[in-house]
Amino acid sequence: MTARDSRLHAFRPDLADARLQGEVTAERFVAGRPARISASVADVRKAPRPDSGLNTQLLFGDEVVVFEETEGFAWLQAERDGYVGYVSSGDLAPRGAEPTHVVTALRSFVYPGPDMKFPRNGQLSIGSQVTVTGFAETRGTRYGLLPSGEAVVLQHLAPLGTTSDDFVAVAERLIDTPYLWGGFSAFGIDCSGLVQLSMRMTGRKVLRDSDMQEASLGTPVDAGAEFSQLRRGDLVFWKGHVAIMTDGENMIHANGHTMTVAREGLRQAIDRIGYLYGGPTSFRRP
């Protein structure tokens, strides 16, 4: 996913210089209200309308700064990557207690109590952050208890700060996840969202859009003749697209061709993509 109109200057011309290195610095906005995402997945839109285009998404527990609210939408900035946009006010809650655990299962359910036979109250994606205030066990299954009294299977959680060693392995777990423009969860994801979420699970903070990633992630790589110098974990960039190499010949990417996260041979992808978007613009090693 390439840069979109959600960048501050694009839809707030009066704040053209307000975003600097991921921080809102305009005087009238430095005292924003801290909040936290309380929805399973919160859509970040270009404008305060339910039919406005999706730019990115935030996960349960993500920290944000709210600058103003209008017509049921909050204009805010995500602390994880500096992205700005409009989120439904109903998807926000006060910061409250700090998260203690991160969801490490691809997807998990939130139950009204510590029993998997209860009807679920909601669902969480990998990368979501929750506050566990206690523990319970029912019929051999352990649960983490949330401040609301709800429960999440403890096996699906890990203490905050727990990280994976291999972001490619995280991305591979997301194979067959549906493609969603602007998506950033195990319910739907796009190409740069796949890179950002996978690296997030290894403890790395990564910018959101593919052009941002191409400009900031790692170092350039000389792919060599017939791409012989590429290896697992290298990133391949096209105009508006990014893929992750799983070895020297194959890659994984969220793409509109299969409408999923899928494996594909690099050479096949270059041939297939070329007639629409040209060849790769760069290769980088994060």
Side-chain angles (χ1 to χ4, degrees), residues 35-40 42 57-65 77-80 91-93 95 99 127-130 184 200:
R36 197 179 302 279
I37 298 299
S38 59
S40 170
Q57 293 178 316
L58 298 171
L59 301 180
F60 186 93
D62 278 350
E63 294 182 339
V64 299
V65 178
Q77 185 170 43
E79 292 203 357
R80 75 177 184 214
D91 290 344
L92 300 172
R95 289 278 175 98
S128 302
Q129 298 180 15
V130 299
F184 182 79
R200 174 174 174 163

Side-chain angles (χ1 to χ4, degrees), residues 30-279:
V30 293
R33 170 173 64 87
R36 197 179 302 279
I37 298 299
S38 59
S40 170
V41 181
D43 292 340
V44 181
R45 302 181 183 277
K46 297 179 184 179
R49 305 190 314 271
D51 63 344
S52 181
L54 177 64
N55 284 328
T56 186
Q57 293 178 316
L58 298 171
L59 301 180
F60 186 93
D62 278 350
E63 294 182 339
V64 299
V65 178
V66 177
F67 301 115
E68 59 186 16
E69 294 191 61
T70 178
E71 300 177 354
F73 283 85
W75 187 67
L76 53 73
Q77 185 170 43
E79 292 203 357
R80 75 177 184 214
D81 59 10
Y83 223 94
V84 293
Y86 288 94
V87 169
S88 172
S89 296
D91 290 344
L92 300 172
R95 289 278 175 98
E98 291 296 314
T100 61
H101 288 69
V102 60
V103 176
T104 53
L106 286 184
R107 293 166 286 273
S108 188
F109 294 120
V110 179
Y111 299 98
D115 194 328
M116 64 181 178
K117 293 187 177 181
F118 288 165
R120 75 190 191 288
N121 280 359
Q123 52 278 324
L124 297 172
S125 167
I126 185 173
S128 302
Q129 298 180 15
V130 299
T131 302
V132 173
T133 59
F135 304 92
E137 184 173 324
T138 304
R139 294 186 302 278
T141 301
R142 298 194 68 206
Y143 298 85
L145 303 179
L146 309 183
S148 62
E150 296 171 308
V152 180
V153 173
L154 191 59
Q155 188 176 348
H156 292 176
L157 306 175
L160 202 64
T162 303
T163 58
S164 172
D165 295 329
D166 183 0
F167 85 93
V168 183
V170 178
E172 289 173 323
R173 291 177 59 202
L174 287 157
I175 285 177
D176 292 331
T177 297
Y179 178 85
L180 177 66
W181 173 266
F184 182 79
S185 81
F187 305 111
I189 201 164
D190 66 16
C191 64
S192 54
L194 179 67
V195 172
Q196 189 185 44
L197 180 56
S198 299
M199 290 194 176
R200 174 174 174 163
M201 298 306 294
T202 66
R204 295 189 62 173
K205 290 187 176 181
V206 175
L207 296 178
R208 177 60 175 94
D209 296 334
S210 62
D211 66 323
M212 295 175 171
Q213 294 171 358
E214 186 172 18
S216 63
L217 267 178
T219 57
V221 172
D222 180 356
E226 298 297 316
F227 311 110
S228 60
Q229 300 303 309
L230 295 180
R231 68 187 190 196
R232 181 178 175 87
D234 287 345
L235 302 177
V236 185
F237 290 92
W238 286 262
K239 182 179 180 181
H241 190 60
V242 60
I244 304 166
M245 296 299 294
T246 57
D247 55 39
E249 298 179 353
N250 301 291
M251 63 184 215
I252 183 174
H253 59 153
N255 66 93
H257 178 63
T258 65
M259 289 303 292
T260 63
V261 176
R263 297 183 189 273
E264 189 171 6
L266 173 62
R267 290 175 179 80
Q268 290 89 336
I270 289 174
D271 291 342
R272 180 180 59 77
I273 294 171
Y275 84 99
L276 285 175
Y277 301 108

